[in-house]
Amino acid sequence: MSDPVVDIRNLTVSFRTRRGAVSVIEGLSLPVARGRVLGVVGESGCGKSVMARCLLRIEAPGRIVSGNVTYLKDSQHALHLESMDATGAAIRRVRWREIAMIFQEPMSSFGPQHTIGFQIGEAMRLHGAGSGDAAVVEALTAVSMPRPREIARQYPHQLSGGMRQRAMIAMALSCRPSVLVADEPTTALDVSTEAQILELIRSKQRELGMSVLFISHNLGVIAHIAHDVAVMYLGQVVERAPVKTLFASPRHPYTRALMQSIPRIDREYSGPLVVLSGSPPGPFAVPSGCRFHPRCPERIPGVCDREVPIAETLEDGTEVRCHLWRKKG
């Protein structure tokens, strides 16, 4: 990936608990290509949201222990976000204007005591993207919000889930950011509304030339919207590839297991869906060797349980962290 807009290198994030510090992300490297949609998929608890929040330095109560999160505005300007004060003026100039975020549940992201228009207008004013009722209406109109003037005067609880999500997207796009982080933005929506929101994000990505980091546990959504896909397991990226390559030829056993667990309507019935045994261990019980080996049907005894796999780049550009592929080449 020769032209990343965000480059995450060897990132480790830990949380303090009563039992001591625990790493929820460890040694994660992931570039986000300029002008493309990167889908990030994995089971709940694998660190997707924590990783994404590091881009805006809102990872608290987590703490970046080591590694780099670099925002490459252009070839002449690189900002090292990990070194910025999470409450300082420098990172506030990056948030929303350069990197914006659509949160998973807009009902808890909007304050209940102010109207939608007030909150969007405040974000625009604070980040120098305009002010006044006309600017708010324009932002809502840009995301195809019906009756934008009326909606601007309403409170979050008066809107449906889909309309609240459109309002959140309007706020995120109001400053025309270079990077948009979408953290499972369609999880609580019905299928038809989900399709509308996905099409809206994709159309705005094309229109503005943004890079999008799209987080989801739904492989169908990722297949629809992403150009590239990263699969995370227990705080690490285990496979990364262009979307067509990943879905046509998944290389990591975990990726294959995720694929095989999805019902397909384009194929004849061939028996029960594959069920991946076990569940991801807690952060205090990370296995030795490959983190996936206790659940892996293809594990190599004496290797996978002892040696930590390194990321290998295959001929088709797939990057996979698995001993099976190191042995083959």
Side-chain angles (χ1 to χ4, degrees):
M1 199 169 290
S2 58
D3 187 24
V5 65
V6 172
D7 197 12
I8 302 172
R9 291 291 170 188
N10 300 315
L11 179 67
T12 296
V13 180
S14 72
F15 282 69
R16 287 185 178 180
T17 72
R18 293 179 180 178
R19 296 173 58 184
V22 59
S23 295
V24 295
I25 291 176
E26 189 168 345
L28 183 145
S29 295
L30 184 65
V32 181
R34 198 177 303 274
R36 292 172 68 86
V37 180
L38 172 64
V40 180
V41 67
E43 292 172 282
S44 297
C46 68
K48 303 186 299 294
S49 295
V50 174
M51 177 269 296
R53 286 170 174 263
C54 288
L55 272 64
L56 288 88
R57 296 305 317 279
I58 53 174
E59 70 277 4
R63 182 173 66 91
I64 296 178
V65 176
S66 61
N68 304 103
V69 182
T70 306
Y71 169 58
L72 301 151
K73 186 172 182 178
D74 52 47
S75 59
Q76 304 297 322
H77 300 88
L79 300 178
H80 296 283
L81 305 182
E82 80 286 346
S83 63
M84 292 183 178
D85 180 358
T87 60
I91 193 63
R92 289 201 299 271
R93 287 192 291 270
V94 175
R95 291 174 185 152
W96 296 102
R97 176 163 288 283
E98 304 290 348
I99 304 174
M101 188 165 188
I102 304 170
F103 294 93
Q104 185 170 352
E105 178 43 65
M107 191 63 187
S108 60
S109 302
F110 281 113
Q113 70 273 37
H114 294 296
T115 64
I116 291 293
F118 176 87
Q119 295 181 67
I120 294 176
E122 183 179 42
M124 296 176 71
R125 177 178 56 81
L126 288 173
H127 296 284
S131 60
D133 293 343
V136 172
V137 171
E138 183 180 351
L140 290 170
T141 301
V143 297
S144 303
M145 179 72 83
R147 311 184 313 280
R149 292 185 183 278
E150 178 183 339
I151 295 300
R153 295 192 294 269
Q154 293 186 327
Y155 291 85
H157 72 272
Q158 295 177 293
L159 305 184
S160 67
M163 294 177 78
R164 279 196 300 270
Q165 200 61 284
R166 284 183 185 271
M168 176 57 67
I169 295 171
M171 180 184 289
L173 298 182
S174 61
C175 298
R176 300 179 70 87
S178 299
V179 181
L180 178 66
V181 179
D183 187 3
E184 302 200 35
T186 62
T187 297
L189 304 179
D190 61 75
V191 175
S192 59
T193 306
E194 176 182 67
Q196 294 172 12
I197 295 299
L198 290 176
E199 184 54 38
L200 173 61
I201 293 174
R202 191 64 184 270
S203 66
K204 288 299 175 182
Q205 183 269 328
R206 295 192 192 102
E207 177 186 333
L208 301 176
M210 292 185 303
S211 301
V212 177
L213 181 66
F214 194 99
I215 298 169
S216 181
H217 62 273
N218 188 327
L219 285 168
V221 168
I222 293 295
H224 176 76
I225 197 170
H227 297 111
D228 308 291
V229 185
V231 181
M232 286 186 64
Y233 184 79
L234 211 60
Q236 295 182 336
V237 173
V238 295
E239 185 168 0
R240 180 169 62 87
V243 63
K244 291 183 179 179
T245 302
L246 185 104
F247 277 84
S249 181
R251 306 303 177 87
H252 198 281
Y254 178 60
T255 309
R256 287 199 288 268
L258 292 178
M259 299 284 191
Q260 292 167 356
S261 68
I262 303 173
R264 300 288 296 267
I265 62 173
D266 59 338
R267 297 177 183 174
E268 294 185 5
Y269 176 75
S270 58
L273 295 174
V274 173
V275 177
L276 184 58
S277 64
S279 58
F284 283 103
V286 176
S288 59
C290 173
R291 297 183 173 208
F292 183 61
H293 87 262
R295 307 173 67 193
C296 181
E298 303 176 57
R299 61 181 175 271
I300 306 169
V303 177
C304 296
D305 54 342
R306 296 180 183 177
E307 300 179 24
V308 177
I310 62 173
E312 300 280 350
T313 301
L314 307 182
E315 291 182 358
D316 62 358
T318 296
E319 186 179 279
V320 60
R321 186 187 291 268
C322 180
H323 289 301
L324 293 173
W325 293 98
R326 189 179 68 177
K327 286 179 69 66
K328 293 180 179 180

